């Protein structure tokens, strides 16, 4: 796949709704899936996009009878997940991790793993996994990664067990956009997973930082920049993340700190840090991000290796600080006085603000500035 330079100022070329993945209907088969071009009578409607295979998660229960007093004779059992148009079966050995999944190379179990593992004993009861076309003899999984890992644990030693799958209709680039939309729009994805999704979006689709910030309004351009830095550090130096307890849960600051230290340290010192990380990982030690930074860059070594580093001045504490109130009378900024001739307005982080909240905050700050210049009485 051609990669566009990450600095290319390229906007998204399609409406977001049209980039959502869909299931490509094909004739059901056992073993090798039918070709992507095969037509099917049970073609999905446009409304059955995104990760529409999740419709297969709906568990169908037969109706019971009740006497109206809450003491009905409910004896029905749960049925298997309903069939999805175009689904086929693949042996477990033919499924693989998708390199552009936001969690690729990280945790394999979610909080619901044990429940998934119990259900995975009967693969036919599970919804189909969404896969791309075959690459190097395997089918990358776009949706259903945790489910796949549960199947591998439950059916260890039996890689011939057949798993329900459905083909993703779009291109891999379409899938990257769709998965990024999903990651950025859910609280279930961690900051590092969202950062990885943005990096995939840039490397595969050539999307600029400006276009990303415009597509996801809650992300400022600076925040996008830091997220991409963290994801690039993980991509370039995976050993620095392998020593973490949960690499995909690492804070963005962990990645940006690594970049800072790479710039501060001489090349040989940074290489020594990488080798130390490999040794820690080989010993099986797993650390929290703060512990990892302390182990890789202790204060003594930092002092010895940064003799020429500029010492940052201590922050100046204002003599007076007054909150500036915005939407719903919530403090959004602060008017600070440092001396008789030095005043400053401390502005907020707007990444989590709605458009209405940003508008109210801006108007509140402008009102303070007009008052400072004596313009609030002159309309």
């Amino acid at each position: 796949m051609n990669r566009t330079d990450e600095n290319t100022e390229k906007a998204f070329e399609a409406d977001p709704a049209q980039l959502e993945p869909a299931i490509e209907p094909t004739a059901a088969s056992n073993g090798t899936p039918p070709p992507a071009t095969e037509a099917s009578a049970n073609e999905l409607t446009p409304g059955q996009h995104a990760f529409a295979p999740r419709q297969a998660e709906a568990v169908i229960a037969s109706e019971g009878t009740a006497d109206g007093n809450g003491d009905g004779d409910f004896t029905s059992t749960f049925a298997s997940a309903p069939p999805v148009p175009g689904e086929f079966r693949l042996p477990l050995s033919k499924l693989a991790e998708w390199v552009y999944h936001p969690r690729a190379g990280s945790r394999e179990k979610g909080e619901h793993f044990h429940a998934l593992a119990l259900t995975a004993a009967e693969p036919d009861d599970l919804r189909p996994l969404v896969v791309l076309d075959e690459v190097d003899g395997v089918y990358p999984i776009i949706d259903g990664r945790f489910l796949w890992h549960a199947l591998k644990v439950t059916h260890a030693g039996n890689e011939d067990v057949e798993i329900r799958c459905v083909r993703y209709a779009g291109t891999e680039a379409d899938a990257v956009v769709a998965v990024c939309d999903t990651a950025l729009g859910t609280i279930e994805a961690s900051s590092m997973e969202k950062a990885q999704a943005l990096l995939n979006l840039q490397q595969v689709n050539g999307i600029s930082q400006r276009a990303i910030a415009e597509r996801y309004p809650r992300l400022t351009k600076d925040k996008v920049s830091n997220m991409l830095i963290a994801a690039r550090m993980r991509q370039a130096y995976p050993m620095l993340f392998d020593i973490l307890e949960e690499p995909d849960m690492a804070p963005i600051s962990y990645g940006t700190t690594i970049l800072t230290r790479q710039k501060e340290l001489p090349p040989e010192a940074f290489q020594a840090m990488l080798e130390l990380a490999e040794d820690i990982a080989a010993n099986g030690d797993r650390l929290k991000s703060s512990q990892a930074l302390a182990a890789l860059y202790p204060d003594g070594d930092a002092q010895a290796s940064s003799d020429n580093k500029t010492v940052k001045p201590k922050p100046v504490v204002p003599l007076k600080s007054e909150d500036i109130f915005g939407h719903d009378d919530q403090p959004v900024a602060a008017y600070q006085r440092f001396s008789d001739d030095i005043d400053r307005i401390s502005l907020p982080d707007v990444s989590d603000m709605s458009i209405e909240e940003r508008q109210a905050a801006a108007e509140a700050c402008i009102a303070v500035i007009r008052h400072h210049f004596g313009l609030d009485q002159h309309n």
Side-chain angles (χ1 to χ4, degrees):
M1 176 176 297
N2 294 329
R3 311 279 184 179
T4 306
D5 184 84
E6 64 184 24
N7 294 321
T8 302
E9 290 295 321
K10 174 182 175 184
F12 291 82
E13 296 179 351
D15 185 273
Q18 297 178 352
L19 291 177
E20 293 180 343
I23 307 169
E24 179 171 342
T26 57
S29 66
N30 290 324
T32 305
T37 56
E38 181 177 342
S40 174
N42 51 356
E43 185 171 355
L44 298 183
T45 65
Q48 291 173 302
H49 317 226
F51 292 110
R54 289 199 176 103
Q55 64 184 303
E57 287 182 320
V59 182
I60 310 282
S62 301
E63 293 185 358
T65 58
D67 59 8
N69 296 320
D71 297 326
D73 182 17
F74 297 106
T75 59
S76 299
T77 58
F78 287 100
S80 301
V84 173
E87 72 171 80
F88 55 89
R89 296 175 187 275
L90 287 173
L92 189 57
S93 59
K94 299 284 283 185
L95 298 169
E97 181 102 281
W98 183 37
V99 294
Y100 295 119
H101 196 287
R103 291 193 180 102
S106 290
R107 57 188 169 128
E108 301 176 353
K109 301 177 182 179
E111 294 180 358
H112 57 316
F113 172 77
H114 295 294
L116 275 181
L118 290 173
T119 310
E122 296 294 339
D124 285 348
D125 291 346
L126 304 173
R127 64 177 175 86
L129 306 182
V130 184
V131 299
L132 287 170
D133 287 332
E134 184 177 7
V135 178
D136 297 330
V138 294
Y139 293 78
I141 300 170
I142 293 180
D143 186 39
R145 181 176 176 273
F146 280 154
L147 190 56
W148 170 56
H149 283 295
L151 285 163
K152 290 199 298 180
V153 171
T154 304
H155 298 278
N158 181 19
E159 293 193 344
D160 293 330
V161 62
E162 293 189 335
I163 310 301
R164 298 172 63 187
C165 298
V166 68
R167 191 194 305 274
Y168 179 74
T171 66
E172 185 171 57
D174 293 336
V176 168
V177 174
V179 169
C180 187
D181 284 346
T182 299
L184 270 292
T186 175
I187 60 174
E188 294 180 0
S190 70
S191 296
M192 184 57 69
E193 290 166 353
K194 293 177 181 180
Q196 185 61 54
L198 292 182
L199 182 61
N200 293 339
L201 197 62
Q202 198 172 68
Q203 292 182 337
V204 176
N205 299 63
I207 307 299
S208 69
Q209 290 187 26
R210 178 180 300 173
I212 290 174
E214 290 174 353
R215 184 180 181 88
Y216 306 109
R218 288 186 177 273
L219 296 181
T220 63
K221 191 175 180 181
D222 287 343
K223 195 167 186 177
V224 170
S225 177
N226 287 335
M227 293 173 73
L228 290 172
I229 287 171
R232 289 194 192 102
M233 290 297 101
R234 185 181 179 189
Q235 185 180 72
Y237 308 110
M239 68 288 292
L240 298 178
F241 288 79
D242 290 344
I243 63 176
L244 300 180
E245 292 177 346
E246 293 183 301
D248 58 331
M249 300 296 286
I252 298 301
S253 59
Y254 182 78
T256 56
T257 300
I258 290 174
L259 176 62
T260 299
R261 293 185 177 176
Q262 182 187 26
K263 293 179 177 179
E264 291 176 349
L265 292 172
E268 60 275 11
F270 186 72
Q271 181 59 38
M273 190 172 81
L274 299 180
E275 294 172 357
L276 176 57
E278 291 177 339
D279 291 340
I280 294 174
N283 290 334
D285 296 331
R286 295 297 181 267
L287 310 171
K288 298 183 183 300
S289 58
S290 57
Q291 295 171 333
L293 291 174
L296 295 172
Y297 196 62
D299 292 341
D301 293 343
Q303 182 63 38
S305 62
S306 58
D307 292 336
N308 297 323
K309 185 174 70 172
T310 302
V311 178
K312 295 181 180 179
K314 295 182 178 179
V316 179
V317 178
L319 300 175
K320 180 181 179 182
S321 180
E322 297 178 356
D323 287 334
I324 299 175
F325 298 93
H327 182 70
D328 286 342
D329 291 329
Q330 295 297 312
V332 294
Y335 179 76
Q336 300 173 330
R337 165 151 292 190
F338 293 88
S339 66
D340 290 342
D341 57 350
I342 299 178
D343 294 332
R344 182 180 73 180
I345 292 180
S346 178
L347 299 176
D349 178 4
V350 302
S351 59
D352 292 328
M353 287 185 177
S354 66
I355 296 299
E356 293 77 10
E357 291 171 338
R358 296 183 190 190
Q359 181 70 28
E363 291 175 355
C365 291
I366 292 172
V368 171
I369 294 173
R370 291 183 61 84
H371 177 75
H372 176 82
F373 285 97
L375 299 176
D376 52 344
Q377 297 178 355
H378 303 279
N379 295 323

